[in-house]
Amino acid sequence: MATSMTFGLIFLFGAASSYATVVDDQLKAYQAQGAGSFSAQRGEQMWNKDYPDPEEPGKVRNCHVCHGKDFKASGKHAKTGKTIDPLSPSVNRERFTDPQFIEKWFKRNCKWVMDRECTPQEKGDFLMYLKDK
């Protein structure tokens, strides 16, 4: 029993340190691209902000449309209906562990929600907000 608990703790610590390392490396990369200090509060404001829908005037888009408001629950893609894995690293151990995956989805999601790519500052602010959810 003690052995399985030890392996469990090692697994949990390993998963947590893996995503934390990747997030820290991403934040450093964004600062190398010109970003300043990051703010979880700014990330939260962007997360909750409504942006005009360029395809349907009068409608809005925001992060909740696909990801929902519960970071520990699955989301649903607005157009395809495809299930989106939870954002929270506490329930989705793969979240924020692959820099290419992070960049791929920042590019797609920022373009869809904000109708443009996110700046390095915005990406860092989003990561600061999401990393401990």
Side-chain angles (χ1 to χ4, degrees):
M1 174 123 167
T3 303
S4 65
M5 287 180 61
T6 301
F7 285 124
L9 289 172
I10 290 171
F11 176 77
L12 287 174
F13 179 74
S17 67
S18 175
Y19 96 80
T21 300
V22 171
V23 169
D24 287 346
D25 289 348
Q26 287 300 109
L27 294 174
K28 289 175 188 171
Y30 298 145
Q31 286 181 324
Q33 296 171 26
S37 60
F38 298 114
S39 163
Q41 184 178 16
R42 281 193 307 259
E44 181 178 17
Q45 289 169 347
M46 289 186 303
W47 183 266
N48 290 308
K49 183 177 177 179
D50 290 332
Y51 298 87
D53 185 331
E55 296 175 7
E56 295 186 53
K59 290 192 172 187
V60 295
R61 295 179 176 178
N62 57 49
C63 301
H64 304 273
V65 170
C66 294
H67 292 286
K69 293 188 176 186
D70 181 357
F71 295 102
K72 295 181 179 180
S74 295
K76 186 176 177 182
H77 192 277
K79 285 188 174 181
T80 67
K82 182 180 175 185
T83 299
I84 299 172
D85 293 333
L87 278 173
S88 173
S90 68
V91 296
N92 179 0
R93 300 199 190 294
E94 299 297 318
R95 187 64 70 189
F96 308 129
T97 59
D98 181 348
Q100 292 177 333
F101 190 84
I102 292 170
E103 286 303 310
K104 170 185 170 182
W105 288 104
F106 265 141
K107 186 173 184 176
R108 287 186 185 184
N109 292 347
C110 290
K111 280 185 172 179
W112 190 80
V113 173
M114 302 165 80
D115 199 28
R116 62 174 174 80
E117 289 191 34
C118 286
T119 66
Q121 182 69 54
E122 291 167 333
K123 292 177 189 177
D125 291 341
F126 273 125
L127 277 182
M128 288 296 290
Y129 175 59
L130 297 171
K131 71 177 189 165
D132 296 324
K133 296 294 176 196

